[in-house]
Amino acid sequence: MKLRLTVNALLVAVLISGVGTNVAAANGLAAAEIASVSGIESSPYYRIVRTTALIHSQELVRASAWRALRSADGDAALLRYILTGMNEAKQLAEKQEARNLDFARRIAKTYTAQFSPRVHAAALEAIDKGPAVQEHFARVGFAEAKALDDAGREADEQHKQQILEVDRDFVRLLAQLDPGEQVRLAAQYALRNGGTDVDLRVFFATDWMAAAALDIDLHRMRTLEAGVKFHAVIQQLVRDAKDAEREALAASGAAAELARAVAARAWATTKERADAARQAWEDEAAACAEQARYWRTVIERAQSSSDPVWAAIAATADKNRGAWTGDGTLAGGEQQYWAGVENEAHEGYLRMTTPA
């Protein structure tokens, strides 16, 4: 996305692709209900589906994952979700009405009543009043309300943030080195040629944290959807390799030699794919750790300032640090899981290549 786009346009264009709040409480789904499904937690798909239900940015995708977790079909329901359910839910979530509602919910969460009262109120109204108002909010209402909030903030001389050179230097640092792409873009826009202190105040008051939340949501969508695909492909490879090994062990003579070669290739392919999945999650764990460290430095910077804007930044920064830490834990768990599958595949390969 080019820097020439305004931050408003950036937020609308990307956020409207599907973001929202956790629906576990709204749907009345308790952990005990999931645990009551026999054997559900032992399923290899359980962790990725449950995490999708908790943190995926599109409400319909989360709700579909919750239904799979609560299904009486147990592991079979989770497998269906892995193979087709997520894609079907995403197709529904990409329809305009669902996107608009997700957008309004996301904005209500990100733009607080303290610093963006008009945006917050307009988002809540859109959520409450249905598709027509939601469509208007996504198309023009958000931008109009944001402009009014920005103007009101500038008119409040008593609470107007003074932009010091150290603040400007800090934004320059974010524009170059922030680990989140959306934050970098927002900082670059605030520092653009022709920009003023007004743009920097808007950045500190709203746009920085909105862009940071967007980085989290986009990361979660990407990693969870890739994680589901890993399970869909590799678990099938595991089943195929086990079937091939059983056939090889049941065969005799020349047929057994050929069947062992087929099984060995199946295990080798499985190992290769599992290694790719392990490496991908290892990279994600490192990225999450970098983000968590970065937000710790933001908290420390905020705590050294007496400006009320920085106090609000500190609170949000701590939530962001917690989010990235939690996502890093998920990535570490998936990394370990696929390392186990990789070892299983390697052992299978050795069995099929060692002379009987």
Side-chain angles (χ1 to χ4, degrees), residues 148-283:
L148 291 173
D149 278 332
D150 293 344
R153 197 178 303 113
E154 285 301 302
D156 187 354
E157 294 292 338
Q158 180 180 356
H159 297 99
K160 183 186 293 186
Q161 181 188 17
Q162 182 181 3
I163 299 298
L164 305 175
E165 190 58 32
V166 67
D167 296 323
R168 197 177 298 275
D169 288 342
F170 186 79
V171 180
R172 289 193 188 101
L173 187 66
L174 295 180
Q176 297 171 6
L177 301 177
D178 192 281
E181 180 184 13
Q182 302 306 319
V183 171
R184 291 197 304 273
L185 287 171
Q188 290 164 18
Y189 180 80
L191 293 169
R192 72 195 183 281
N193 290 334
T196 67
D197 282 0
V198 174
D199 299 293
L200 289 170
R201 280 191 284 271
V202 171
F203 175 81
F204 279 110
T206 61
D207 289 352
W208 181 14
M209 291 303 112
L214 182 54
D215 276 321
I216 292 173
D217 282 334
L218 292 176
H219 168 265
R220 287 174 169 177
M221 291 176 71
R222 176 175 55 81
T223 57
L224 290 173
E225 290 161 22
V228 164
K229 289 178 182 177
F230 281 138
H231 278 279
V233 172
I234 301 173
Q235 298 292 358
Q236 183 61 53
L237 289 175
V238 171
R239 289 191 291 272
D240 291 345
K242 287 180 176 179
D243 289 344
E245 182 170 348
R246 279 193 293 270
E247 291 179 9
L249 294 175
S252 60
E257 183 177 351
L258 178 60
R260 290 176 73 88
V262 170
R265 285 196 299 272
W267 279 123
T269 300
T270 302
K271 182 179 182 299
E272 179 183 347
R273 295 296 183 89
D275 179 64
R278 178 196 56 76
Q279 183 61 57
W281 281 111
E282 183 177 324
D283 293 343

Side-chain angles (χ1 to χ4, degrees), residues 127-147:
I127 293 168
D128 183 59
K129 292 194 174 179
V133 179
Q134 290 157 16
E135 190 276 335
H136 176 81
F137 179 75
R139 186 167 48 84
V140 296
F142 165 66
E144 291 173 349
K146 188 175 187 302

Side-chain angles (χ1 to χ4, degrees), residues 43-52 82 223-224 226-232 234-235 273-285 326-342:
S43 168
Y45 316 114
Y46 173 77
R47 183 173 55 249
I48 193 72
V49 176
R50 184 178 187 276
T51 304
T52 300
I82 289 289
T223 57
L224 290 173
V228 164
K229 289 178 182 177
F230 281 138
H231 278 279
I234 301 173
Q235 298 292 358
R273 295 296 183 89
D275 179 64
R278 178 196 56 76
Q279 183 61 57
W281 281 111
E282 183 177 324
D283 293 343
E284 293 301 337
D327 286 9
T329 300
L330 165 70
E334 288 294 302
Q335 176 188 343
Q336 292 177 8
Y337 176 80
W338 290 117
V341 174
E342 185 181 0

Side-chain angles (χ1 to χ4, degrees), residues 58 60-61 64 81 84-94:
Q58 292 171 306
L60 291 179
V61 175
S64 178
Y81 183 81
T84 61
M86 173 179 267
N87 283 337
E88 291 170 356
K90 278 192 64 63
Q91 290 174 10
L92 291 174
E94 290 301 321

